[in-house]
Amino acid sequence: MASYQTKVGIIGAGPAGLTLALLLKRQGIDCIILENRERTYVESRVRAGLLEQNTVDLLTELGVADRLHREGLPHHGVYLSFNGVRKRVPFTELTDGRCITIYGQQEVVKDLIKANLERGTPIYFEASATTIDGLETDAPVIHFEQQGEVHTVGCAFVAACDGYHGIGRKHLPQGTYNEFRIDYPFSWLGILAHAKPSSDELIYAYHERGFALHSLRSETVSRLYIQVANDDHIDNWSDDQIWDELEIRLSDGNGFTLNRGDIFEKGITPMRSFMIDNMQYRRLFLAGDAAHIVPPTGGKGLNLAVADVTILANALADYYETGQHNRLATYTSDCLRRIWRVQDFSNTMTYLFHKQAEHGSFENQIQQAKFDYIARSTAMATTIAENYVGLKEL
Ligand code: RFL
Ligand code: PHB
């Protein structure tokens, strides 16, 4: 059994844990990262693709964005579509030049792992945190298992960046938080395909057969999603059926053609809004998906994880400089302002573009009215644009 010692013990090598480690290192604060999966697994897990301006700015400032700037695709607008009517929301003119960048989460994770290792932060892979002890003291201890052996990390603070299924949240005492959740009655079937993108910008589409999203990863790889029922299964869909369905839902009555290609990744993801309203207990702090989940319709999960750890790193740096707990004490409330804003935006986009009521019903006509309003009002389009690129400060 090995006993390690550090200032901040970080559980999870996802975007939250890896970014936190770089931010702390920059402030001269030592940390150790524990990750229960293999390095190759976390570097190839296909998830997000949309980075807000704030996220790109932070990664640039941290000196880990060279490849992101070379290979990422800045987008200055987005297409919203309803029953075949397409409207472009231009970010640049509505948000003072801000934009989003398309760059796969697994690429972000590869860049962050490499930078952490180069800067001397230890990352233990296949190291599964099992319990956190001593939370009533000033010296908590994380117990973890690696290759059948139990080890410990003694630390001054624990950052649980261990995702929705992690152990961190389970260590918050009962009664210290409220939990909020919506389980949506639909899921996303997502594919990656060797196909030239059919549009230069993303398309979010409502269709009476359900939602569809056109996204991309590069000039030769498309990322596409369709709304399916929660009890649907990937084996129910042949590749041709997926393409046919995408073609129908993304059509614009204006000659839109969908480029098809070889599908090399596919899966179904449930849609959920989840959060707790307290993200800390004494020396334990939660960040990212460990504390909240947003449905992917707003493209926000990774960005919110990065926003949390920016606040946490600043609070820890302040503590180590001044010995005062003030900024650590307001960590949750400082994070919650952005989390609630993003919960609202992600939920709004979800209800706007998914089929959740009979075509022609009251609810459906309200959706149509909202879309028409975005299409004709600069004020509404600006609201969408500034939330979509991410509010600079909150
Ligand atoms: P992660 O990425 O889940 O990382 C947590 C890490 O903790 C590890 N872990 C443990 N390690 C040690 N011991 C334990 N006991 C552990 N338990 C867990 C896990 O192995 C893992 O490596 O959480 P983090 O860092 O908070 O990052 C959150 C993001 O990954 C997530 O919010 C986004 O992927 C959500 N998301 C999107 N976000 C965006 O910002 N833009 C998007 O365009 C976007 N699209 C998406 C998405 C998520 C999707 N899926 C599959 C859920 C599209 C989809 C389809
Ligand atoms: C993606 O490219 O995977 C993506 C883009 C926008 C979203 C969700 C996912 O809202």
Side-chain angles (χ1 to χ4, degrees):
M1 172 182 145
S3 306
Y4 304 96
Q5 195 65 40
T6 191
K7 282 186 176 146
V8 183
I10 299 177
I11 311 174
L18 292 164
T19 307
L20 176 63
L22 290 176
L23 286 161
L24 294 176
K25 191 77 183 179
R26 184 171 69 167
Q27 301 283 345
I29 302 168
D30 286 342
C31 55
I32 287 177
I33 305 177
L34 303 174
E35 166 56 52
N36 68 2
R37 301 288 194 155
E38 290 172 39
R39 180 173 177 179
T40 47
Y41 180 89
V42 292
E43 288 188 340
S44 54
R45 191 162 41 190
V46 174
R47 283 186 169 177
L50 186 163
L51 307 185
E52 288 180 358
Q53 178 85 50
N54 283 355
T55 304
V56 172
D57 290 348
L58 179 74
L59 297 178
T60 306
E61 202 188 297
L62 283 169
V64 290
D66 289 355
R67 201 161 66 91
L68 160 61
H69 288 295
R70 269 199 319 275
E71 297 175 17
L73 304 167
H75 282 200
H76 300 282
V78 64
Y79 292 104
L80 305 182
S81 219
F82 209 91
N83 287 329
V85 175
R86 216 64 111 234
K87 164 77 186 167
R88 180 173 187 266
V89 175
F91 305 141
T92 317
E93 54 194 85
L94 296 178
T95 65
D96 241 347
R98 289 164 73 72
C99 70
I100 57 147
T101 300
I102 297 295
Y103 187 64
Q105 175 166 332
Q106 69 274 38
E107 306 308 323
V108 175
V109 166
K110 275 182 212 158
D111 297 343
L112 294 174
I113 288 176
K114 182 166 172 280
N116 270 296
L117 294 175
E118 280 170 6
R119 294 173 197 187
T121 295
I123 307 177
Y124 297 101
F125 290 99
E126 297 175 79
S128 181
T130 50
T131 50
I132 309 165
D133 264 355
L135 278 172
E136 305 303 328
T137 72
D138 286 346
V141 177
I142 306 169
H143 297 254
F144 71 98
E145 278 175 25
Q146 197 182 31
Q147 289 170 341
E149 286 195 38
V150 179
H151 309 284
T152 59
V153 179
C155 41
F157 294 96
V158 178
C161 302
D162 51 355
Y164 180 68
H165 299 287
I167 63 154
R169 199 168 65 251
K170 300 182 180 111
H171 283 79
L172 291 177
Q174 273 190 355
T176 59
Y177 62 93
N178 295 299
E179 197 175 291
F180 305 88
R181 71 183 297 144
I182 299 175
D183 290 297
Y184 296 90
F186 39 76
S187 300
W188 276 17
L189 186 162
I191 61 163
L192 275 169
H194 293 294
K196 182 175 162 8
S198 313
S199 162
D200 52 346
E201 292 176 336
L202 272 61
I203 308 169
Y204 290 76
Y206 169 87
H207 188 278
E208 63 179 284
R209 294 168 71 96
F211 169 79
L213 170 61
H214 173 284
S215 183
L216 55 149
R217 286 292 177 273
S218 70
E219 279 161 24
T220 53
V221 174
S222 296
R223 175 77 164 144
L224 299 136
Y225 301 93
I226 46 174
Q227 173 184 353
V228 296
N230 281 341
D231 61 0
D232 209 337
H233 194 274
I234 198 70
D235 297 340
N236 297 336
W237 290 83
S238 70
D239 290 3
D240 282 343
Q241 281 173 311
I242 296 172
W243 287 118
D244 289 346
E245 197 59 34
L246 280 162
E247 179 122 40
I248 296 170
R249 297 189 193 181
L250 289 168
S251 68
D252 65 353
N254 219 353
F256 172 81
T257 49
L258 183 67
N259 300 326
R260 301 185 179 208
D262 184 33
I263 297 178
F264 62 92
E265 213 311 310
K266 55 182 173 179
I268 293 185
T269 312
M271 304 272 289
R272 173 184 306 132
S273 298
F274 170 84
M275 63 184 282
I276 51 177
D277 59 4
N278 171 35
M279 297 162 61
Q280 62 195 96
Y281 176 68
R282 295 181 61 101
R283 286 171 173 256
L284 168 66
F285 294 84
L286 269 58
D289 278 15
H292 41 72
I293 297 288
V294 286
T297 330
K300 292 284 173 221
L302 181 159
N303 297 292
L304 206 47
V306 168
D308 288 351
V309 296
T310 305
I311 294 171
L312 182 55
N314 286 337
L316 286 166
D318 189 67
Y319 168 80
Y320 278 109
E321 260 168 43
T322 66
Q324 303 292 314
H325 280 84
N326 314 20
R327 294 191 61 185
L328 285 170
T330 60
Y331 169 68
T332 294
S333 55
D334 290 343
C335 289
L336 281 179
R337 282 193 296 279
R338 183 175 294 275
I339 296 168
W340 277 119
R341 173 91 307 284
V342 165
Q343 287 286 8
D344 172 44
F345 178 68
S346 305
N347 175 266
T348 300
M349 289 288 283
T350 301
Y351 279 131
L352 186 55
F353 288 107
H354 286 75
K355 177 165 184 173
Q356 1 111 31
E358 269 315 291
H359 196 66
S361 64
F362 179 86
E363 291 85 346
N364 177 236
Q365 307 223 35
I366 291 286
Q367 283 176 287
Q368 174 80 60
K370 284 203 176 103
F371 173 80
D372 291 345
Y373 192 24
I374 295 167
R376 63 176 313 198
S377 154
T378 307
M380 271 303 279
T382 305
T383 297
I384 297 286
E386 71 180 10
N387 279 276
Y388 196 73
V389 299
L391 290 146
K392 193 163 189 180
E393 269 160 27
L394 258 174

